[in-house]
Amino acid sequence: MILIAVIALDGVIPFDLSTPCEVFGRVSVPGTPEPYRVMVCGEKKIVKAEPFDLQVRWDLSHLARAHTIIVPGIDTTNAKIPETVIRAIRDAAEAGTRIASICTGTFVLAATGLLDGLDATTHWAAAAQLAKRYPKIRVDPNVLYVDNGQILTSAGAAAGIDLCLHMVRQDYGAAVAAQTARLSVVPLERTGGQSQFIVQEPAASSPDIAPLLTWLLEHLSEPITLEMIAQQSQTSTRTLSRYFKAQTGTTPLQWLLSARVRRAQELLEKSNLRAEGIAQSVGFESVSAFRVCFYRRVGTTPQRYRQHFASSGEPRAFSIS
DNA sequence: AGCCAATCCCGCCATG
DNA sequence: GGCATGGCGGGATTGG
C-alpha cells in the first residue's frame, strides 16, 4: 500500500486537489486490496478553497509517513507559503519521499528550493513568472509534466491527471495505469501513449497532428523514417519537424521511440515474449538497440522491469527517472 | 569502450 | 513588412 499525502493550503484549487484523490483512488491492482491510500493534509483544520471551505482531516505530521507528497495548485502565485509547510516538504525530500506538484503548486515547491537546478513546469500562464522569480529553475512551459526522479511537476489542471497516471505507471506498471485511465475520465489516447506530451491546441492555421500520432501508433512495429512521416502528413520533413515540436514538445523520432518503449513495457507485463520478440514487435531493428533505448527512458533493463511487475503485486521503488 | 556511416534535427535563409 | 514553407549545412544522435 502506497501512502499519498495531498497538501491543502489556503486558496487550493479544488480541481487539482481532487485529481490525485480520484486517480489514485481508482487504481485497482489484482491481489492488492488497497494499492493507494490518499490523505489530504493541511496546516489548518479549515482550508479556504473557493467557492467553499474544506475541513481537513489530517495535519502535516502525516507528510513524514507518506511515500508520495502532492502539492495541488493554489489560486494566487504570490501567496506566502507557511514556514511549517516548507519545512515539512524539505524534511520529506531529505528522507527520499517522492514529491509532485500540479499546476501552480510548483510555486510551493519552488519556495522550498528543491527545484533549484532542475527542470520544471507549471500552468502556462504562470511559467514566465516562475522563471523570473526563480532563475535557478529551468522552466519548460511546453510539456505536460516533468519527471526529475524524486521531484515531479506538472502543467495546468488536466496535466495533473497525466502526471498522476505517470506515477501509477511507475508504481504498478503500464497496464494498471492504462486500466486506471479507462476507469477515470481520461480519453484513452491521452494515456496509453500518444498525447503524453501534447500541450497546445494546434494554431488555427496549422494542421492538427493528432491523426498523425494515431497513424504512428498503428505502425509502431514497422521501420519508420522521418521521410515516411512527412509523406504521411503531406509536408516536407522540415515543416513536419516544426509542427511536431510545437504541438508535442518533442521531435518525431524521440516521440516514436518513447511510444515504442511504452508499448514494450506493456508487453513485458502482459506477455511472455522474450526480449527479442518484444524488440521486434515494437519496431526496433535489433535487441541491443532496444535495450539501450529502454534503459535510457525507463532507468532499468527490460528483464528487471518484467521481474518487478510480472511476479507480484508489489509496488516498485520510485527510483526511475 | 570506441569507431563509422546513416539519419535526424534545427538555425539560417531564399522563396512565394 | 509579415508569414509560412522547405532546401541546405552541419552538429548531434543513433545503429551496427
Side-chain angles (χ1 to χ4, degrees), chain A residues 273-290:
Chain A
L273 284 174
R274 299 160 46 79
E276 296 83 51
I278 291 177
Q280 199 192 0
S281 62
V282 301
F284 285 97
E285 300 278 345
S286 70
V287 198
S288 56
F290 167 59

Side-chain angles (χ1 to χ4, degrees), chain A residues 194 198 207-218 232 247:
Chain A
Q194 79 166 345
I198 287 213
D208 185 354
I209 61 165
L212 179 62
L213 297 185
T214 306
W215 180 83
L216 282 173
L217 286 180
E218 284 167 2
Q232 180 66 25
Q247 288 179 51

Side-chain angles (χ1 to χ4, degrees), chain A residues 43-195:
Chain A
E43 163 230 17
K44 300 186 302 187
K45 280 266 181 253
I46 303 290
V47 171
K48 295 187 198 315
E50 287 308 316
F52 48 72
D53 288 352
L54 285 170
Q55 187 171 333
V56 176
R57 216 179 286 169
W58 292 286
D59 63 30
L60 294 179
S61 68
H62 293 88
L63 297 190
R65 305 196 290 126
H67 168 280
T68 298
I69 294 175
I70 296 181
V71 186
I74 43 179
D75 59 15
T76 161
T77 53
N78 294 321
K80 176 100 177 71
I81 314 299
E83 195 57 38
T84 49
V85 172
I86 291 182
R87 179 66 37 90
I89 294 176
R90 277 191 195 143
D91 289 348
E94 190 117 349
T97 306
R98 181 172 62 181
I99 300 175
S101 70
I102 297 172
C103 194
T104 48
T106 301
F107 281 78
V108 179
L109 291 192
T112 67
L114 290 172
L115 290 174
D116 289 351
L118 299 181
D119 292 316
T121 192
T122 184
H123 191 282
W124 61 269
Q129 194 188 349
L130 181 70
K132 192 172 179 194
R133 201 187 305 170
Y134 299 99
K136 288 181 187 165
I137 304 176
R138 292 190 298 273
V139 179
D140 184 353
N142 292 316
V143 294
L144 277 186
Y145 57 83
V146 176
D147 181 351
N148 282 297
Q150 188 187 355
I151 315 280
L152 305 87
T153 56
S154 72
I161 299 175
D162 293 272
L163 176 62
C164 289
L165 288 170
H166 173 71
M167 288 189 274
V168 171
R169 186 162 46 231
Q170 286 185 338
D171 298 335
Y172 291 105
V176 169
Q179 178 62 14
T180 304
R182 266 189 287 278
L183 287 172
S184 310
V185 286
V186 194
L188 196 58
E189 318 84 70
R190 193 175 164 90
T191 70
Q194 79 166 345
S195 335

